PDB file of all heavy atoms in Angstrom:
ATOM      1  N   MET G  74     -25.771  28.732  72.506  1.00 97.00           N
ATOM      2  CA  MET G  74     -26.112  27.716  73.647  1.00 97.00           C
ATOM      3  C   MET G  74     -26.755  26.453  73.126  1.00 97.00           C
ATOM      4  O   MET G  74     -26.389  25.324  73.426  1.00 97.00           O
ATOM      5  CB  MET G  74     -27.115  28.360  74.624  1.00 97.00           C
ATOM      6  CG  MET G  74     -26.501  29.463  75.431  1.00 97.00           C
ATOM      7  SD  MET G  74     -27.418  29.779  76.978  1.00 97.00           S
ATOM      8  CE  MET G  74     -28.727  30.808  76.231  1.00 97.00           C
ATOM      9  N   LYS G  82     -23.411  18.629  71.683  1.00 98.00           N
ATOM     10  CA  LYS G  82     -22.882  17.687  72.643  1.00 98.00           C
ATOM     11  C   LYS G  82     -23.771  16.420  72.800  1.00 98.00           C
ATOM     12  O   LYS G  82     -23.264  15.363  73.085  1.00 98.00           O
ATOM     13  CB  LYS G  82     -22.621  18.377  74.016  1.00 98.00           C
ATOM     14  CG  LYS G  82     -21.583  19.503  73.960  1.00 98.00           C
ATOM     15  CD  LYS G  82     -20.391  19.286  73.100  1.00 98.00           C
ATOM     16  CE  LYS G  82     -19.641  20.483  72.741  1.00 98.00           C
ATOM     17  NZ  LYS G  82     -18.729  20.221  71.549  1.00 98.00           N
ATOM     18  N   VAL G  85     -22.879  14.329  69.833  1.00 98.00           N
ATOM     19  CA  VAL G  85     -21.478  13.708  70.048  1.00 98.00           C
ATOM     20  C   VAL G  85     -21.579  12.630  71.002  1.00 98.00           C
ATOM     21  O   VAL G  85     -21.037  11.540  70.760  1.00 98.00           O
ATOM     22  CB  VAL G  85     -20.506  14.823  70.453  1.00 98.00           C
ATOM     23  CG1 VAL G  85     -19.231  14.128  70.934  1.00 98.00           C
ATOM     24  CG2 VAL G  85     -20.250  15.740  69.318  1.00 98.00           C
ATOM     25  N   ALA G  86     -22.294  12.757  72.135  1.00 98.00           N
ATOM     26  CA  ALA G  86     -22.392  11.653  73.171  1.00 98.00           C
ATOM     27  C   ALA G  86     -23.161  10.462  72.615  1.00 98.00           C
ATOM     28  O   ALA G  86     -22.682   9.337  72.874  1.00 98.00           O
ATOM     29  CB  ALA G  86     -23.198  12.360  74.397  1.00 98.00           C
ATOM     30  N   GLN G  89     -20.678   8.752  70.292  1.00 98.00           N
ATOM     31  CA  GLN G  89     -19.686   8.045  71.009  1.00 98.00           C
ATOM     32  C   GLN G  89     -20.258   6.673  71.585  1.00 98.00           C
ATOM     33  O   GLN G  89     -19.532   5.683  71.498  1.00 98.00           O
ATOM     34  CB  GLN G  89     -19.174   8.904  72.124  1.00 98.00           C
ATOM     35  CG  GLN G  89     -18.211  10.081  71.769  1.00 98.00           C
ATOM     36  CD  GLN G  89     -16.870   9.533  71.410  1.00 98.00           C
ATOM     37  OE1 GLN G  89     -16.430   8.479  71.628  1.00 98.00           O
ATOM     38  NE2 GLN G  89     -16.160  10.549  70.788  1.00 98.00           N
ATOM     39  N   ALA G  90     -21.552   6.729  71.973  1.00 98.00           N
ATOM     40  CA  ALA G  90     -22.197   5.529  72.429  1.00 98.00           C
ATOM     41  C   ALA G  90     -22.240   4.476  71.422  1.00 98.00           C
ATOM     42  O   ALA G  90     -22.363   3.247  71.641  1.00 98.00           O
ATOM     43  CB  ALA G  90     -23.547   5.914  73.000  1.00 98.00           C
ATOM     44  N   ASP G  94     -16.163   7.924  66.765  1.00 98.00           N
ATOM     45  CA  ASP G  94     -15.315   8.815  67.674  1.00 98.00           C
ATOM     46  C   ASP G  94     -15.512  10.260  67.186  1.00 98.00           C
ATOM     47  O   ASP G  94     -14.630  10.841  66.485  1.00 98.00           O
ATOM     48  CB  ASP G  94     -13.910   8.318  67.447  1.00 98.00           C
ATOM     49  CG  ASP G  94     -13.052   8.755  68.634  1.00 98.00           C
ATOM     50  OD1 ASP G  94     -13.521   9.536  69.514  1.00 98.00           O
ATOM     51  OD2 ASP G  94     -11.899   8.266  68.811  1.00 98.00           O
ATOM     52  N   ALA G  95     -16.591  10.819  67.587  1.00 98.00           N
ATOM     53  CA  ALA G  95     -17.072  12.089  67.226  1.00 98.00           C
ATOM     54  C   ALA G  95     -16.398  13.152  68.068  1.00 98.00           C
ATOM     55  O   ALA G  95     -16.084  13.018  69.180  1.00 98.00           O
ATOM     56  CB  ALA G  95     -18.597  12.282  67.409  1.00 98.00           C
ATOM     57  N   GLY G  97     -17.111  17.437  68.518  1.00 98.00           N
ATOM     58  CA  GLY G  97     -18.009  18.496  68.258  1.00 98.00           C
ATOM     59  C   GLY G  97     -17.242  19.820  68.045  1.00 98.00           C
ATOM     60  O   GLY G  97     -16.413  20.066  68.834  1.00 98.00           O
ATOM     61  N   ALA G 101     -15.167  28.281  65.405  1.00 98.00           N
ATOM     62  CA  ALA G 101     -14.077  28.885  66.260  1.00 98.00           C
ATOM     63  C   ALA G 101     -13.117  27.774  66.726  1.00 98.00           C
ATOM     64  O   ALA G 101     -11.881  28.105  66.794  1.00 98.00           O
ATOM     65  CB  ALA G 101     -14.726  29.575  67.351  1.00 98.00           C
ATOM     66  N   ASP G 102     -13.561  26.545  66.930  1.00 98.00           N
ATOM     67  CA  ASP G 102     -12.697  25.539  67.429  1.00 98.00           C
ATOM     68  C   ASP G 102     -11.695  25.080  66.396  1.00 98.00           C
ATOM     69  O   ASP G 102     -12.030  24.609  65.307  1.00 98.00           O
ATOM     70  CB  ASP G 102     -13.563  24.312  67.845  1.00 98.00           C
ATOM     71  CG  ASP G 102     -14.513  24.686  68.986  1.00 98.00           C
ATOM     72  OD1 ASP G 102     -14.074  25.109  69.983  1.00 98.00           O
ATOM     73  OD2 ASP G 102     -15.789  24.562  68.760  1.00 98.00           O
ATOM     74  N   GLY G 103     -10.378  25.262  66.799  1.00 98.00           N
ATOM     75  CA  GLY G 103      -9.319  24.977  65.850  1.00 98.00           C
ATOM     76  C   GLY G 103      -9.354  25.890  64.661  1.00 98.00           C
ATOM     77  O   GLY G 103      -8.828  25.555  63.652  1.00 98.00           O
ATOM     78  N   ASN G 104     -10.095  27.027  64.777  1.00 98.00           N
ATOM     79  CA  ASN G 104     -10.182  27.909  63.632  1.00 98.00           C
ATOM     80  C   ASN G 104     -10.666  27.279  62.366  1.00 98.00           C
ATOM     81  O   ASN G 104     -10.278  27.609  61.261  1.00 98.00           O
ATOM     82  CB  ASN G 104      -8.829  28.558  63.382  1.00 98.00           C
ATOM     83  CG  ASN G 104      -8.964  29.854  62.524  1.00 98.00           C
ATOM     84  OD1 ASN G 104     -10.048  30.502  62.347  1.00 98.00           O
ATOM     85  ND2 ASN G 104      -7.827  30.281  61.864  1.00 98.00           N
ATOM     86  N   ARG G 133      -6.455  21.706  58.870  1.00 98.00           N
ATOM     87  CA  ARG G 133      -6.858  21.325  60.270  1.00 98.00           C
ATOM     88  C   ARG G 133      -7.915  20.237  60.320  1.00 98.00           C
ATOM     89  O   ARG G 133      -7.778  19.273  61.080  1.00 98.00           O
ATOM     90  CB  ARG G 133      -7.353  22.613  60.865  1.00 98.00           C
ATOM     91  CG  ARG G 133      -7.986  22.485  62.337  1.00 98.00           C
ATOM     92  CD  ARG G 133      -7.106  21.843  63.302  1.00 98.00           C
ATOM     93  NE  ARG G 133      -5.678  22.195  63.410  1.00 98.00           N
ATOM     94  CZ  ARG G 133      -5.327  23.364  63.877  1.00 98.00           C
ATOM     95  NH1 ARG G 133      -6.022  24.224  64.404  1.00 98.00           N
ATOM     96  NH2 ARG G 133      -3.944  23.670  63.897  1.00 98.00           N
ATOM     97  N   LEU G 142     -10.938  10.794  63.936  1.00 98.00           N
ATOM     98  CA  LEU G 142     -12.050  11.512  64.533  1.00 98.00           C
ATOM     99  C   LEU G 142     -13.195  11.899  63.436  1.00 98.00           C
ATOM    100  O   LEU G 142     -12.780  12.007  62.280  1.00 98.00           O
ATOM    101  CB  LEU G 142     -11.673  12.844  65.224  1.00 98.00           C
ATOM    102  CG  LEU G 142     -10.733  12.616  66.476  1.00 98.00           C
ATOM    103  CD1 LEU G 142     -10.012  13.921  66.824  1.00 98.00           C
ATOM    104  CD2 LEU G 142     -11.718  12.235  67.648  1.00 98.00           C
ATOM    105  N   GLY G 153     -12.631  35.343  63.631  1.00 98.00           N
ATOM    106  CA  GLY G 153     -11.130  35.413  63.933  1.00 98.00           C
ATOM    107  C   GLY G 153     -10.789  36.558  64.822  1.00 98.00           C
ATOM    108  O   GLY G 153      -9.669  36.728  65.190  1.00 98.00           O
ATOM    109  N   GLU G 154     -11.744  37.452  65.026  1.00 98.00           N
ATOM    110  CA  GLU G 154     -11.511  38.594  65.925  1.00 98.00           C
ATOM    111  C   GLU G 154     -12.301  38.530  67.259  1.00 98.00           C
ATOM    112  O   GLU G 154     -12.630  39.576  67.819  1.00 98.00           O
ATOM    113  CB  GLU G 154     -11.785  39.890  65.169  1.00 98.00           C
ATOM    114  CG  GLU G 154     -10.823  40.172  64.038  1.00 98.00           C
ATOM    115  CD  GLU G 154     -11.380  41.109  62.926  1.00 98.00           C
ATOM    116  OE1 GLU G 154     -12.334  41.795  63.241  1.00 98.00           O
ATOM    117  OE2 GLU G 154     -10.833  41.024  61.813  1.00 98.00           O
ATOM    118  N   GLY G 155     -12.735  37.381  67.543  1.00 98.00           N
ATOM    119  CA  GLY G 155     -13.320  37.139  68.891  1.00 98.00           C
ATOM    120  C   GLY G 155     -14.928  37.133  68.792  1.00 98.00           C
ATOM    121  O   GLY G 155     -15.665  36.894  69.742  1.00 98.00           O
TER     122      GLY G 155
ATOM    123  N   MET T  74     -25.908  23.767  77.805  1.00 97.00           N
ATOM    124  CA  MET T  74     -26.017  24.981  76.985  1.00 97.00           C
ATOM    125  C   MET T  74     -24.994  26.075  77.316  1.00 97.00           C
ATOM    126  O   MET T  74     -24.300  26.561  76.460  1.00 97.00           O
ATOM    127  CB  MET T  74     -27.400  25.484  77.036  1.00 97.00           C
ATOM    128  CG  MET T  74     -28.493  24.699  76.368  1.00 97.00           C
ATOM    129  SD  MET T  74     -30.003  25.539  76.027  1.00 97.00           S
ATOM    130  CE  MET T  74     -30.667  25.603  77.735  1.00 97.00           C
ATOM    131  N   LYS T  82     -17.528  28.453  73.815  1.00 98.00           N
ATOM    132  CA  LYS T  82     -17.316  28.972  72.407  1.00 98.00           C
ATOM    133  C   LYS T  82     -16.857  30.462  72.484  1.00 98.00           C
ATOM    134  O   LYS T  82     -16.080  30.823  71.713  1.00 98.00           O
ATOM    135  CB  LYS T  82     -18.531  28.765  71.597  1.00 98.00           C
ATOM    136  CG  LYS T  82     -18.883  27.360  71.334  1.00 98.00           C
ATOM    137  CD  LYS T  82     -17.719  26.440  71.105  1.00 98.00           C
ATOM    138  CE  LYS T  82     -18.071  24.953  71.277  1.00 98.00           C
ATOM    139  NZ  LYS T  82     -16.851  24.045  71.400  1.00 98.00           N
ATOM    140  N   VAL T  85     -13.219  30.264  73.403  1.00 98.00           N
ATOM    141  CA  VAL T  85     -12.392  29.793  72.232  1.00 98.00           C
ATOM    142  C   VAL T  85     -12.239  30.944  71.099  1.00 98.00           C
ATOM    143  O   VAL T  85     -11.207  31.208  70.672  1.00 98.00           O
ATOM    144  CB  VAL T  85     -13.034  28.542  71.570  1.00 98.00           C
ATOM    145  CG1 VAL T  85     -12.409  28.202  70.242  1.00 98.00           C
ATOM    146  CG2 VAL T  85     -12.864  27.333  72.532  1.00 98.00           C
ATOM    147  N   ALA T  86     -13.344  31.600  70.838  1.00 98.00           N
ATOM    148  CA  ALA T  86     -13.283  32.706  69.861  1.00 98.00           C
ATOM    149  C   ALA T  86     -12.317  33.888  70.360  1.00 98.00           C
ATOM    150  O   ALA T  86     -11.490  34.341  69.609  1.00 98.00           O
ATOM    151  CB  ALA T  86     -14.726  33.292  69.607  1.00 98.00           C
ATOM    152  N   GLN T  89      -8.762  32.500  69.948  1.00 98.00           N
ATOM    153  CA  GLN T  89      -8.410  32.534  68.517  1.00 98.00           C
ATOM    154  C   GLN T  89      -8.059  33.916  68.190  1.00 98.00           C
ATOM    155  O   GLN T  89      -7.129  34.134  67.373  1.00 98.00           O
ATOM    156  CB  GLN T  89      -9.548  31.983  67.677  1.00 98.00           C
ATOM    157  CG  GLN T  89      -9.764  30.481  67.789  1.00 98.00           C
ATOM    158  CD  GLN T  89      -8.634  29.738  67.004  1.00 98.00           C
ATOM    159  OE1 GLN T  89      -7.968  30.289  66.246  1.00 98.00           O
ATOM    160  NE2 GLN T  89      -8.708  28.433  67.238  1.00 98.00           N
ATOM    161  N   ALA T  90      -8.763  34.962  68.581  1.00 98.00           N
ATOM    162  CA  ALA T  90      -8.436  36.365  68.270  1.00 98.00           C
ATOM    163  C   ALA T  90      -7.136  36.759  68.836  1.00 98.00           C
ATOM    164  O   ALA T  90      -6.474  37.635  68.263  1.00 98.00           O
ATOM    165  CB  ALA T  90      -9.567  37.255  68.808  1.00 98.00           C
ATOM    166  N   ASP T  94      -4.446  28.874  69.296  1.00 98.00           N
ATOM    167  CA  ASP T  94      -5.208  27.990  68.455  1.00 98.00           C
ATOM    168  C   ASP T  94      -6.002  26.979  69.402  1.00 98.00           C
ATOM    169  O   ASP T  94      -5.718  25.769  69.527  1.00 98.00           O
ATOM    170  CB  ASP T  94      -4.324  27.235  67.471  1.00 98.00           C
ATOM    171  CG  ASP T  94      -5.020  26.749  66.272  1.00 98.00           C
ATOM    172  OD1 ASP T  94      -6.283  26.849  66.225  1.00 98.00           O
ATOM    173  OD2 ASP T  94      -4.405  26.306  65.321  1.00 98.00           O
ATOM    174  N   ALA T  95      -7.076  27.571  69.904  1.00 98.00           N
ATOM    175  CA  ALA T  95      -7.943  26.878  70.976  1.00 98.00           C
ATOM    176  C   ALA T  95      -8.888  25.968  70.292  1.00 98.00           C
ATOM    177  O   ALA T  95      -9.445  26.262  69.150  1.00 98.00           O
ATOM    178  CB  ALA T  95      -8.615  27.858  71.785  1.00 98.00           C
ATOM    179  N   GLY T  97     -12.438  23.903  71.748  1.00 98.00           N
ATOM    180  CA  GLY T  97     -13.321  23.705  72.871  1.00 98.00           C
ATOM    181  C   GLY T  97     -13.738  22.271  72.945  1.00 98.00           C
ATOM    182  O   GLY T  97     -14.170  21.762  71.940  1.00 98.00           O
ATOM    183  N   ALA T 101     -17.179  14.503  76.150  1.00 98.00           N
ATOM    184  CA  ALA T 101     -17.781  13.617  75.082  1.00 98.00           C
ATOM    185  C   ALA T 101     -16.956  13.799  73.801  1.00 98.00           C
ATOM    186  O   ALA T 101     -16.741  12.806  73.063  1.00 98.00           O
ATOM    187  CB  ALA T 101     -19.233  13.940  74.779  1.00 98.00           C
ATOM    188  N   ASP T 102     -16.362  14.947  73.555  1.00 98.00           N
ATOM    189  CA  ASP T 102     -15.677  15.182  72.255  1.00 98.00           C
ATOM    190  C   ASP T 102     -14.423  14.482  72.237  1.00 98.00           C
ATOM    191  O   ASP T 102     -13.462  14.700  73.081  1.00 98.00           O
ATOM    192  CB  ASP T 102     -15.422  16.746  72.137  1.00 98.00           C
ATOM    193  CG  ASP T 102     -16.750  17.515  72.115  1.00 98.00           C
ATOM    194  OD1 ASP T 102     -17.581  17.211  71.165  1.00 98.00           O
ATOM    195  OD2 ASP T 102     -16.951  18.417  72.922  1.00 98.00           O
ATOM    196  N   GLY T 103     -14.316  13.580  71.251  1.00 98.00           N
ATOM    197  CA  GLY T 103     -13.101  12.749  71.119  1.00 98.00           C
ATOM    198  C   GLY T 103     -12.970  11.813  72.314  1.00 98.00           C
ATOM    199  O   GLY T 103     -11.913  11.210  72.568  1.00 98.00           O
ATOM    200  N   ASN T 104     -14.129  11.561  72.991  1.00 98.00           N
ATOM    201  CA  ASN T 104     -14.069  10.712  74.143  1.00 98.00           C
ATOM    202  C   ASN T 104     -12.973  11.116  75.218  1.00 98.00           C
ATOM    203  O   ASN T 104     -12.415  10.255  75.812  1.00 98.00           O
ATOM    204  CB  ASN T 104     -13.943   9.311  73.807  1.00 98.00           C
ATOM    205  CG  ASN T 104     -14.202   8.291  74.769  1.00 98.00           C
ATOM    206  OD1 ASN T 104     -14.950   8.553  75.798  1.00 98.00           O
ATOM    207  ND2 ASN T 104     -13.691   7.017  74.704  1.00 98.00           N
ATOM    208  N   ARG T 133      -5.484  10.672  73.269  1.00 98.00           N
ATOM    209  CA  ARG T 133      -6.181  11.603  72.381  1.00 98.00           C
ATOM    210  C   ARG T 133      -5.869  13.016  72.663  1.00 98.00           C
ATOM    211  O   ARG T 133      -5.593  13.894  71.735  1.00 98.00           O
ATOM    212  CB  ARG T 133      -7.711  11.416  72.632  1.00 98.00           C
ATOM    213  CG  ARG T 133      -8.692  12.238  72.101  1.00 98.00           C
ATOM    214  CD  ARG T 133      -8.558  12.470  70.473  1.00 98.00           C
ATOM    215  NE  ARG T 133      -8.363  11.277  69.696  1.00 98.00           N
ATOM    216  CZ  ARG T 133      -9.266  10.377  69.464  1.00 98.00           C
ATOM    217  NH1 ARG T 133     -10.520  10.486  69.819  1.00 98.00           N
ATOM    218  NH2 ARG T 133      -9.026   9.332  68.659  1.00 98.00           N
ATOM    219  N   LEU T 142      -2.712  22.441  69.013  1.00 98.00           N
ATOM    220  CA  LEU T 142      -3.997  23.005  69.595  1.00 98.00           C
ATOM    221  C   LEU T 142      -3.954  23.129  71.104  1.00 98.00           C
ATOM    222  O   LEU T 142      -3.217  22.460  71.751  1.00 98.00           O
ATOM    223  CB  LEU T 142      -5.212  22.058  69.255  1.00 98.00           C
ATOM    224  CG  LEU T 142      -5.529  21.923  67.738  1.00 98.00           C
ATOM    225  CD1 LEU T 142      -6.310  20.700  67.430  1.00 98.00           C
ATOM    226  CD2 LEU T 142      -6.304  23.227  67.321  1.00 98.00           C
ATOM    227  N   GLY T 153     -20.013   7.579  78.018  1.00 98.00           N
ATOM    228  CA  GLY T 153     -19.782   6.618  77.014  1.00 98.00           C
ATOM    229  C   GLY T 153     -20.877   5.847  76.472  1.00 98.00           C
ATOM    230  O   GLY T 153     -20.880   5.095  75.560  1.00 98.00           O
ATOM    231  N   GLU T 154     -22.081   6.046  77.241  1.00 98.00           N
ATOM    232  CA  GLU T 154     -23.327   5.460  76.799  1.00 98.00           C
ATOM    233  C   GLU T 154     -24.360   6.418  76.311  1.00 98.00           C
ATOM    234  O   GLU T 154     -25.575   6.134  76.379  1.00 98.00           O
ATOM    235  CB  GLU T 154     -23.867   4.557  77.950  1.00 98.00           C
ATOM    236  CG  GLU T 154     -22.939   3.395  78.183  1.00 98.00           C
ATOM    237  CD  GLU T 154     -23.184   2.715  79.600  1.00 98.00           C
ATOM    238  OE1 GLU T 154     -24.052   3.002  80.332  1.00 98.00           O
ATOM    239  OE2 GLU T 154     -22.187   2.089  79.995  1.00 98.00           O
ATOM    240  N   GLY T 155     -23.906   7.595  75.962  1.00 98.00           N
ATOM    241  CA  GLY T 155     -24.887   8.564  75.392  1.00 98.00           C
ATOM    242  C   GLY T 155     -25.316   9.566  76.435  1.00 98.00           C
ATOM    243  O   GLY T 155     -26.050  10.474  76.022  1.00 98.00           O
TER     244      GLY T 155
END
Side-chain angles (χ1 to χ4, degrees):
Chain G
M74 288 196 285
K82 299 318 161 198
V85 168
Q89 287 285 347
D94 205 348
D102 296 304
N104 194 22
R133 171 55 43 74
L142 290 164
E154 290 158 19
Chain T
M74 288 198 282
K82 299 319 163 198
V85 168
Q89 287 286 347
D94 205 349
D102 297 303
N104 194 23
R133 171 55 43 75
L142 290 164
E154 290 158 19

